[in-house]
Amino acid sequence: MAWHATPAAAIPAAMRRRDLCLAALGAASPLPLAAQGPGEPAALPAMLRLAARLRRLEEDGLDPAAYAVPPDAMAAGDPRGFTNGVQRAASAALSDLLLGRLRVPANRMDILRDPAALPMPRWQLDLLGAAEPARVIDRAALSAEDAAPLKAELARARALVAAGGWGRIPAGGTIEPGSSDPARVPALRARLAAEDAELAAVPDSGELYDEPLLDAVKRWQAANGLEVDGRVGAISQAQLNRPATARVDQLRVALDMRRAAAPVPTERRIEVNIPDFLLTVLDGRRSLLRMNVVVGRPSRATPLLRVRMTTVQFNPPWGVPERNAREDLLPKFRRDPAGMRNKGFHLYTVVGGERIEVDPTTVDWSSIRPDRFPYLVRQDAGDESALGRLKFIMPNNDDIYLHDTPDRGLFNRPDRAFSSGCIRLERPMELLDIALDGMGWDRARIQRSFDSRQTSALPLKRTLPVRLHYTTAVVEGGRVRLRPDIYGLDAAYAREMDRTAARVAAR
């Protein structure tokens, strides 16, 4: 099935409850609200158990207050009203568990839902007719991929919040193994012991960063996808100092994102998980290639896209975007204009509609203001080019592409959000081999194209779908690994969930 975004109009607000479900199945007439089946009264104890389950929807990342579950005391005085109220709440909760609390999240075109693949009328009738409708809610809560490990991790995160969370590690430099610090090492130990039972069981060695603490730091770094070196630098400290409530929100969002997920495409494709700094080439569910990538820094975030790779360019020149020229290159031209020229950078100005090259060593750079940068900048293809020797073109309005880079050192860093939006590839030649599959290009022919030093474009015989997505909760082998919310998209999603829940609860 092709990837697609789901328009809001295509998703019923709450499936019009029971009557729409019955109509979709061709039922001749609606069942009484309080009925398991034709003429069979629903058991009030089952309704009480269903109400209790709905009040635990926080374990599924949902707010129980949004569903107006009637109080149990109502069951004695108005059993029919109680049953009707519980069924209405359960119907709405069932829809959210299956289709997502946010049907079409704002600015999240990477979330691919396919509600048509879910037999919603059948689910709703199962809920109405079940002897234990709470079990239907349980099944729905586990229906999304990875729901079980994410729910287990959410329960642990909520328990940490309930226990008071954890304190912050005071600001400072890198905390090195073997060092001593009367404030920061005990704070680090207390922070990790809050979620690491093995460390919590070890005698406290005070201000010394000892071997048990080192082992705990490495366990934590491995679980969070960071460099496992035991050094607690700025990146590790930023992650450790995130409040436990932020972890709860991340996991709530992770559960909701996966609901009504579109079927896994069978076509060979490229996926880039931006906060995981990882590119994967997949064929169905089979992984053909995984590599580290560098993505846009928060001030120049890599956009979420679904496009197709159509062309490979050898020896690409770089037409420098105006923002990059103003913010990144202007300071370098000021420091060393001759060096910039030697790296293949050219300046151009337009006079009478004609583009004229300007020697950067003749420019009074102290007079050039960033907000009024008067030049066009272009860098020649070559070993110094910011795009390296390869550019993978995937037409889009944001002018985002995948490319080689001469700056290889960044791929070894755990945090790789350093680019101006485009995606730098750790192993571009391996991606090229996959892109040129079946086109008769071997490495010798590719090398001849590089050696020519000429810019050339090669259309692909088989274009490849490319999805740039934002998934901070990665589940591998049943284990959950949380990545930093580098662009704040998870926080925005959680706020949107809370706003919609508050609006419903206020009705």
Side-chain angles (χ1 to χ4, degrees), residues 13-15 17-18 33 47 49-57 60 62-71 74 80-98 101 103 120 124 127-128 133-134 136-137 140 504:
M15 302 302 295
R17 304 290 187 264
R18 178 212 59 223
L33 267 173
M47 288 295 105
R49 288 189 289 272
L50 175 58
R53 176 61 180 88
L54 295 175
R55 295 188 192 103
R56 300 199 324 272
L57 283 168
D60 310 299
L62 301 176
D63 182 358
Y67 301 96
V69 184
M74 183 179 175
R80 181 175 178 81
F82 174 77
T83 296
N84 289 350
V86 172
Q87 287 181 331
R88 281 192 295 271
S91 177
L94 182 69
S95 293
D96 287 351
L97 289 169
L98 293 170
R101 176 69 188 165
R103 305 292 203 263
M120 284 301 300
Q124 293 282 3
L127 180 66
L128 285 168
V136 179
I137 297 296
V504 174

Side-chain angles (χ1 to χ4, degrees), residues 288-368:
L288 304 180
L289 175 65
R290 286 165 61 96
M291 75 171 79
N292 292 338
V293 296
V294 173
V295 303
R297 54 189 179 270
S299 61
R300 300 188 199 169
T302 297
L304 308 176
L305 294 174
R306 285 179 283 116
V307 291
R308 295 190 81 89
M309 180 189 293
T310 61
T311 308
V312 174
Q313 189 176 57
F314 298 97
N315 302 314
W318 184 30
V320 181
E322 181 184 353
R323 182 175 180 180
N324 296 65
R326 287 189 287 108
E327 297 182 5
D328 301 336
L329 299 187
L330 176 56
K332 297 178 181 179
F333 275 113
R334 285 173 172 165
R335 284 195 302 269
D336 187 5
M340 294 295 283
R341 183 180 59 188
N342 294 337
K343 290 182 178 181
F345 285 98
H346 298 268
L347 293 181
Y348 299 92
T349 189
V350 177
V351 178
E354 181 179 356
R355 191 169 71 173
I356 299 173
E357 186 168 0
V358 176
D359 184 343
T361 63
T362 67
V363 174
D364 178 12
W365 288 104
S366 65
S367 69
I368 303 300

